[in-house]
Amino acid sequence: MITNAKESHLRKAKGEKLQKEFVADLKKHFPDHADNIKSSPMSAHGEDVQLTEEARKAIPFSFEAKYKEKGLSIVYSAYEQAQRQTANIPTTEYIYSVAIVQQKGHDPLVVMSADDLFRLMPKLSSDTANDNGGNEQ
């Protein structure tokens, strides 16, 4: 629990570092859109990564960055198990390690490495339709 302004500032600084590193990686992987990708200010509401409409066509994702020093061990443990299992698959194809996690009362979430996400993005960017659960036409 945050007990004072100094602790709040320190936590926000760690989250901001993660956010800015991810934005830098996005810019590196999508250099044609580097000017259209920005890190949101820590006090801003909404997405942590701001994309222009043009950039969103190539990067059809909404990003939220969360940094915690503790409390995510089970997520990392599940992902590490997926990595070990992936390493044991006899294939020459690239296999993505994915952990599926779910908390009671919530939808399942997919956890994968940022490197794998960047590897998938170009393949997925041609599918820019975002129905967000809406009806297909």
Side-chain angles (χ1 to χ4, degrees):
M1 178 184 336
I2 297 174
T3 58
N4 59 47
K6 181 179 178 183
E7 187 177 339
S8 175
H9 178 72
L10 288 172
R11 284 194 186 183
K12 285 182 181 181
K14 290 175 184 176
E16 183 176 33
K17 180 179 183 285
L18 170 64
Q19 188 173 310
K20 287 184 175 185
E21 287 172 354
F22 188 76
V23 165
D25 283 345
L26 276 172
K27 289 179 177 187
K28 180 177 85 176
H29 285 85
F30 293 91
D32 293 346
H33 298 288
D35 292 339
N36 298 316
I37 303 168
K38 297 197 179 355
S39 179
S40 295
M42 293 313 290
S43 59
H45 292 282
E47 295 177 290
D48 285 348
V49 177
Q50 298 173 3
L51 302 171
T52 64
E53 187 175 333
E54 179 185 337
R56 180 85 62 197
K57 289 178 184 175
I59 309 166
F61 296 89
S62 176
F63 299 103
E64 179 66 26
K66 293 289 182 197
Y67 180 89
K68 286 186 73 168
E69 296 208 7
K70 296 180 182 178
L72 300 176
S73 297
I74 193 166
V75 173
Y76 280 94
S77 176
Y79 179 69
E80 288 164 2
Q81 181 177 352
Q83 286 182 303
R84 287 191 304 274
Q85 292 166 176
T86 300
N88 290 325
I89 297 172
T91 182
T92 58
E93 299 294 321
Y94 186 84
I95 305 294
Y96 299 94
S97 299
V98 175
I100 308 298
V101 297
Q102 182 177 17
Q103 182 174 309
K104 183 178 180 180
H106 297 276
D107 291 337
L109 300 177
V110 171
V111 178
M112 66 186 336
S113 73
D115 288 342
D116 282 349
L117 176 67
F118 289 125
R119 184 184 280 246
L120 282 171
M121 281 181 168
K123 296 174 185 178
L124 299 174
S125 67
S126 64
D127 181 18
T128 59
N130 182 359
D131 68 7
N132 283 330
N135 296 331
E136 289 188 22
Q137 305 229 353

